[in-house]
Amino acid sequence: MYKKQVEISLDLAQKCVKCALCKSVCPTYPYIKEEGGFARGRLVLAEMLLKGEISETKEAYKHLDQCAMCRRCEWICPNGVEYKEIIVSARNKQDRSLIKETGLKALDVLQSNVGRKAVKFLGKVMDKLPYKEFRVFFPTGAVKFMPKPDGKAFGLRGKTFKAEQEKGKLLFFTGCMIDAFYSKTGESVVKLMNKAGWTVIVPEDIKCCGAPHYYSGNISAFEKLKEHNLKEMGKYEFDAIVVACPTCGGALQEDYGIDKKVYDFSEIIFESRLNFKGKGEKVTFHVPCHSYSAMKVSEKVFYGVIQRVESDELIKGEKDKSCCGFAGLFSITNPKLSEKIQREKIEDINKTGADVVLTSCPGCVLNLTDGVKTYKTGQKVMHLADYLAEHLEERL
């Protein structure tokens, strides 16, 4: 398996003043309860590994693998410690597990020509089934309700959707989950952006953004995906980029070196004059970790947009910014830890009494849906884009 020593300045790790403020927001620490269970301890461990002060053992890397990479520690850190870069560099030194490598390869296959055709074919076959999700049993012991492949998978690719009164052009980086499982969400983003006055361009051959590879320490694979995507994006003329997945947005914004603004779709709606009419429902919102830790989008944007939906009642959860426990491969490789974090999130949602759970990340949609179905709490889970598109009024 690919392994490469990455040179980073250890000053990044040494900026940590050991205040342990990160302990208060770490989703894994309450269930691990030891120094290696939150950012401070993991930073020390990573620094020692990178310096060669301790041997590279499974036990040493266990603590790094138990990190969900939500980056809430960065969000709250008073000293600006670049936790992501340090942990990625340390993970880059290890041999990745077969489960992780298989998961990352699956994303590569998904975005190949054969993979796209296979997903679309499976989606059309499974569209006839009466349920939206099905249970999947993973060899790690994880059991999850997964969405069916979408019969319209990759249907937006290579198309341009023109706005009637164009303000400018947005390149829509759809992301793997919207491409394969949540095509309706992609359509909702296009509808909302068009209505807000933006023409939307969806590239023909975008692949995975590479964030799962990067966070797993496979920097070589990330660089190849980045090179491909930049080349593909360079074929189009656009003013800015829009995403409906904050993990994709964070990668584009932080690691691609793009000179264009990367917007979460909700930021554009927040700045627009769009109106929405609700159905008298009670709604709550789960703030995805990467929306504020990676993309730096204020929660005021999400809540400001939702509050524009007339007739619906917004109820803010006490732990609305806590991790949902998904974190991509983390939920598969650390199933028991993920389930405990998920349970805490579902319990907080249940306390709100809301009928509908909203979020702006397709991965969170998947995991919250799994949680609602597992614990039989009965809420409807929706991507914010779908909720807003469904309640959009024609008047401006």
Side-chain angles (χ1 to χ4, degrees):
M1 295 182 185
Y2 180 83
K3 184 168 73 171
K4 173 186 174 185
Q5 173 68 43
V6 176
E7 297 296 333
I8 67 163
S9 171
L10 289 173
D11 290 342
L12 293 178
Q14 291 161 357
K15 285 175 68 178
C16 176
V17 296
K18 311 296 188 289
C19 70
L21 190 60
C22 50
K23 183 191 293 186
S24 67
V25 297
C26 179
T28 61
Y29 178 73
Y31 308 108
I32 297 176
K33 291 193 178 297
E34 57 183 74
E35 187 68 14
F38 71 106
R40 183 177 69 182
R42 288 172 179 145
L43 284 171
V44 172
L45 180 61
E47 184 178 0
M48 293 175 74
L49 284 165
L50 290 166
K51 285 181 175 179
E53 293 178 351
I54 59 174
S55 59
E56 299 176 24
T57 64
K58 287 185 178 180
E59 185 61 29
Y61 281 112
K62 174 184 175 183
H63 295 295
L64 301 186
D65 287 336
Q66 287 178 330
C67 174
M69 293 299 284
C70 64
R71 299 171 59 190
R72 287 164 54 79
C73 52
E74 290 182 21
W75 163 66
I76 204 170
C77 179
N79 220 32
V81 175
E82 295 180 50
Y83 179 80
K84 179 188 80 168
E85 300 305 329
I86 300 163
I87 299 302
V88 165
S89 296
R91 284 180 170 181
N92 185 252
K93 286 172 61 65
Q94 73 179 120
D95 287 320
R96 283 167 292 280
S97 68
L98 179 60
I99 294 294
K100 275 193 176 183
E101 283 296 288
T102 301
L104 296 176
K105 288 293 183 184
L107 290 175
D108 297 337
V109 172
L110 176 72
Q111 291 287 6
S112 68
N113 289 332
V114 173
R116 291 170 187 168
K117 289 177 182 178
V119 169
K120 194 166 186 176
F121 173 77
L122 284 173
K124 289 181 177 179
V125 172
M126 296 184 77
D127 272 351
K128 299 175 183 178
L129 300 176
Y131 47 84
K132 294 182 179 180
E133 296 85 21
F134 61 102
R135 296 192 85 184
V136 176
F137 296 81
F138 296 90
T140 57
V143 181
K144 299 194 80 64
F145 284 98
M146 298 290 289
K148 295 185 299 185
D150 200 313
K152 294 182 179 180
F154 304 98
L156 299 178
R157 290 299 189 90
K159 297 178 180 177
T160 296
F161 302 87
K162 292 186 177 294
E164 289 184 13
Q165 298 179 340
E166 184 181 284
K167 294 179 180 178
K169 294 182 174 66
L170 295 172
L171 184 142
F172 182 18
F173 196 102
T174 47
C176 298
M177 294 196 68
I178 288 177
D179 278 337
F181 304 109
Y182 299 119
S183 64
K184 181 185 175 185
T185 301
E187 293 171 358
S188 295
V189 172
V190 170
K191 178 181 178 181
L192 291 165
M193 297 302 97
N194 279 174
K195 194 64 179 177
W198 292 88
T199 287
V200 178
I201 301 165
V202 185
E204 176 72 35
D205 192 29
I206 285 291
K207 296 187 183 296
C208 175
C209 69
H213 305 72
Y214 193 77
Y215 285 138
S216 296
N218 196 334
I219 297 175
S220 175
F222 167 75
E223 290 295 339
K224 289 178 182 177
L225 290 166
K226 171 184 169 181
E227 181 181 3
H228 172 89
N229 289 336
L230 286 173
K231 184 177 180 180
E232 175 66 16
M233 293 161 70
K235 297 175 182 177
Y236 305 89
E237 294 290 332
F238 56 94
D239 301 298
I241 299 168
V242 66
V243 299
C245 171
T247 301
C248 290
L252 294 170
Q253 189 168 285
E254 295 179 325
D255 304 310
Y256 269 56
I258 297 172
D259 60 359
K260 303 281 189 181
K261 169 70 176 175
V262 181
Y263 287 101
D264 184 281
F265 77 97
S266 59
E267 293 179 282
I268 292 173
I269 297 171
F270 185 74
E271 296 170 357
S272 75
R273 295 171 54 242
L274 297 182
N275 299 296
F276 305 91
K277 182 69 174 178
K279 303 174 183 177
E281 295 174 306
K282 294 180 179 179
V283 303
T284 192
F285 185 73
H286 161 67
V287 186
C289 300
H290 285 170
S291 65
Y292 58 90
S293 67
M295 289 197 72
K296 307 296 189 293
V297 179
S298 171
E299 63 187 270
K300 293 179 182 178
V301 170
F302 302 116
Y303 284 116
V305 168
I306 296 170
Q307 286 170 338
R308 277 202 229 164
V309 183
E310 296 179 20
S311 301
D312 281 1
E313 179 185 356
L314 173 62
I315 308 168
K316 187 175 180 179
E318 182 182 344
K319 299 178 181 178
D320 61 329
K321 293 176 81 171
S322 67
C323 180
C324 74
F326 181 58
L329 289 172
F330 170 82
S331 65
I332 306 303
T333 57
N334 296 277
K336 292 183 179 179
L337 199 51
S338 174
E339 286 166 12
K340 290 174 181 177
I341 298 169
Q342 181 195 60
R343 179 189 286 270
E344 180 182 37
K345 168 58 68 172
I346 297 300
E347 287 174 352
D348 185 61
I349 287 171
N350 231 15
K351 289 177 184 177
T352 67
D355 309 302
V356 182
V357 183
L358 304 174
T359 187
S360 57
C361 169
C364 295
V365 169
L366 185 156
N367 209 51
L368 293 173
T369 300
D370 172 66
V372 165
K373 292 181 76 68
T374 297
Y375 299 110
K376 300 179 180 179
T377 53
Q379 295 91 354
K380 182 179 181 180
V381 180
M382 298 181 72
H383 194 288
L384 179 59
D386 293 321
Y387 171 75
L388 293 173
E390 185 176 299
H391 294 84
L392 182 64
E393 286 195 318
E394 291 303 315
R395 65 184 177 86
L396 290 175

